[in-house]
């Protein structure tokens, strides 16, 4: 009996050690044994650099989510490469573009970016006279909407979110355009002598993602123009700009009524996820402000408690941000794939 107990105890011990060993192996660490945030070295280097920059807590959280998505995509691509499923290198080139876009988006590409990207959705409720979206067309539409008398204060908040979303999408498009034209050697000889609209046309022919983003921007602007002129529709399905964008894309994708109904339900769940993430971003900003206030008072015990609370909220916000962006990526791919299948029939 004692022997049996000893064997069982040894088995449990080995199992526990194996579990701990497995976690230790899977958890990325640097050469000096320090835990790494990302399994891919270049992503970890970007994250460490970001920690030395003066990014706002929400912006830093957004970067973390973007890097997690990049890590997921690169690890998936490595499996594809081993299986010989990226022979033409198209996926690899796209991943390289995505990484360069992240660097440019967060000001880490070594190039001074004069375009503002501090899209602070936390200030949606604070609609000021001096609001500007850095685009004369958007500013004109916004001022027209503000003076039309068609919108309640709540509708103005929703409308401003949509305008801000369009501004951010325009910024991302410009970054992608600039990244492709600067970093891809394949275009050097082909477009070096071209300028302006001609150069942009050539890039569009080469890159479907640029074409799609430009198409989305044009459709998004038309939607804003229609809302500014006619007001919100009483039967609007969704509130969040990212969800609205996906729903509009789904309606253009030639899907069946059953597929649209199924997708609509999924988008409702996604919208809940987006709103929950936005709430955590607000809490993160408030927690950071409180931490700064406590630090100015110098009470070490109070600082420690607030720092722990801030760290917990920051980690949860990053986790939710990644899940939200992954879900959006999956939905976008699903809409594109199903739409393509219908068009081929």
């Amino acid at each position: 009996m004692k022997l049996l107990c000893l064997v069982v105890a040894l088995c449990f011990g080995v199992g526990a050690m194996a579990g701990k060993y497995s976690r230790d192996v899977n958890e990325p660490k640097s050469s000096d044994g320090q835990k790494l945030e990302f399994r891919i070295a270049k992503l970890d280097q970007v994250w460490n650099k970001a920690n030395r920059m003066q990014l706002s807590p929400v912006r830093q959280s957004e970067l973390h989510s973007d890097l997690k998505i990049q890590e997921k995509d690169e690890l998936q691509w490595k499996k594809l490469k081993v299986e010989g499923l990226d022979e033409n290198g198209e996926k690899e080139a796209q991943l390289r573009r995505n990484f360069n876009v992240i660097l440019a988006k967060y000001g880490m590409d070594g190039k001074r970016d004069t375009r503002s990207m501090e899209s602070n959705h936390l200030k949606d409720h604070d609609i000021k006279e001096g609001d500007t979206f850095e685009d004369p067309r958007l500013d004109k539409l916004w001022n027209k909407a503000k003076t039309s008398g068609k919108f309640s204060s709540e509708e103005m908040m929703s409308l401003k979110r949509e305008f801000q979303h369009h501004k951010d999408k325009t910024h991302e498009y410009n970054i992608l355009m600039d990244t492709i034209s600067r970093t891809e050697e394949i275009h050097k000889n082909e477009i070096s002598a071209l300028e302006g609209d001609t150069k942009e046309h050539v890039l569009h022919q080469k890159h479907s993602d640029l074409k799609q983003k430009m198409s989305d921007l044009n459709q998004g602007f038309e939607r804003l123009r229609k809302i500014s002129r006619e007001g919100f529709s009483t039967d609007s399905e969704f509130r969040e700009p990212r969800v609205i964008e996906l729903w509009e894309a789904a309606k253009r994708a030639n899907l069946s009524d059953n597929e649209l109904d199924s997708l609509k339900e999924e988008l409702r769940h996604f919208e809940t996820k987006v709103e929950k993430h936005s709430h955590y971003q607000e809490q993160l900003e408030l927690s950071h402000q409180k931490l700064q206030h406590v630090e100015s008072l110098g009470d070490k015990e109070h600082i420690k408690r607030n720092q722990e609370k801030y760290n917990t909220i920051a980690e949860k916000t990053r986790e939710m941000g990644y899940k939200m962006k992954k879900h959006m990526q999956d939905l976008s791919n699903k809409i594109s794939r199903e739409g393509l299948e219908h068009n081929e029939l």
Side-chain angles (χ1 to χ4, degrees), residues 37-285:
E37 192 71 24
F38 298 91
R39 283 182 279 177
I40 297 175
K42 67 178 181 182
L43 302 183
D44 206 68
Q45 289 167 2
V46 170
W47 178 245
N48 288 333
K49 180 179 179 181
N51 284 328
R52 297 191 295 269
M53 296 170 63
Q54 296 300 313
L55 294 178
S56 70
V58 170
R59 195 107 165 90
Q60 191 177 48
S61 174
E62 287 289 291
L63 170 61
H64 192 276
S65 302
D66 285 342
L67 290 174
K68 277 294 181 185
I69 292 289
Q70 181 74 13
E71 181 179 57
K72 172 187 70 71
D73 291 344
E74 292 208 18
L75 292 174
Q76 287 177 348
W77 167 75
K78 287 181 179 180
K79 292 180 181 178
L80 290 178
K81 189 178 180 182
V82 169
E83 296 168 6
L85 299 178
D86 189 34
E87 291 183 2
N88 60 5
E90 184 179 340
K91 181 65 178 175
E92 182 180 10
Q94 183 183 36
L95 286 170
R96 187 168 58 247
R97 284 199 303 274
N98 291 348
F99 179 65
N100 286 325
V101 165
I102 290 174
L103 295 181
K105 182 178 175 182
Y106 294 93
M108 289 185 280
D109 60 344
K111 180 182 177 184
R112 183 176 177 80
D113 189 358
T114 56
R115 295 161 303 200
S116 172
M117 190 53 187
E118 278 293 340
S119 58
N120 193 348
H121 69 283
L122 304 180
K123 296 180 181 178
D124 285 344
H125 60 281
D126 190 15
I127 300 174
K128 300 177 182 177
E129 291 299 316
D131 283 330
T132 176
F133 298 97
E134 299 171 9
D135 179 338
R137 296 189 310 164
L138 282 182
D139 290 339
K140 184 177 179 180
L141 274 184
W142 175 248
N143 290 327
K144 185 177 179 180
K146 281 203 299 186
T147 57
S148 68
K150 294 177 182 175
F151 302 96
S152 65
S153 57
E154 185 177 346
E155 287 175 329
M156 285 300 291
M157 284 163 41
S158 297
L159 186 60
K160 187 177 183 185
R161 278 200 300 271
E162 293 212 32
F163 270 76
Q164 184 65 57
H165 178 68
H166 188 84
K167 173 187 169 183
D168 293 348
K169 295 285 287 186
T170 302
H171 182 84
E172 289 172 8
Y173 169 83
N174 288 335
I175 286 176
L176 180 60
M177 179 80 181
D178 185 55
T179 299
I180 289 174
S181 62
R182 284 194 300 121
T183 61
E184 296 204 358
E185 293 292 326
I186 191 171
H187 298 300
K188 266 195 172 180
N189 296 327
E190 296 178 21
I191 65 174
S192 58
L194 303 177
E195 293 182 359
D197 293 339
T198 310
K199 177 179 177 180
E200 187 163 330
H201 177 68
V202 171
L203 287 172
H204 279 164
Q205 287 182 320
K206 294 286 183 182
H207 295 281
S208 59
D209 48 353
L210 265 182
K211 290 173 69 175
Q212 185 59 54
K213 284 184 182 295
M214 175 51 78
S215 175
D216 291 344
L217 281 174
N218 289 335
Q219 287 158 353
F221 182 77
E222 287 305 313
R223 171 182 161 76
L224 289 176
R225 182 151 60 186
K226 182 179 180 182
I227 293 175
S228 299
R229 184 175 64 247
E230 302 174 8
F232 281 103
S233 171
T234 54
D235 59 348
S236 296
E237 298 285 350
F238 304 102
R239 300 175 300 277
E240 287 292 332
R242 280 170 286 198
V243 186
I244 292 169
E245 185 180 347
L246 288 170
W247 178 238
E248 294 295 325
K251 289 192 292 185
R252 295 192 300 268
N254 198 26
L255 303 181
S256 68
D257 290 342
N258 285 339
E259 287 171 326
L260 280 174
D261 287 342
S262 174
L263 188 64
K264 186 188 295 184
E265 189 61 33
E266 193 171 353
L267 285 173
R268 287 198 179 106
H269 290 298
F270 176 62
E271 185 168 58
T272 300
K273 192 177 290 185
V274 172
E275 290 172 341
K276 191 173 181 181
H277 178 238
S278 295
H279 171 72
Y280 266 86
Q281 285 184 317
E282 291 177 12
Q283 294 304 308
L284 178 63
E285 185 63 40

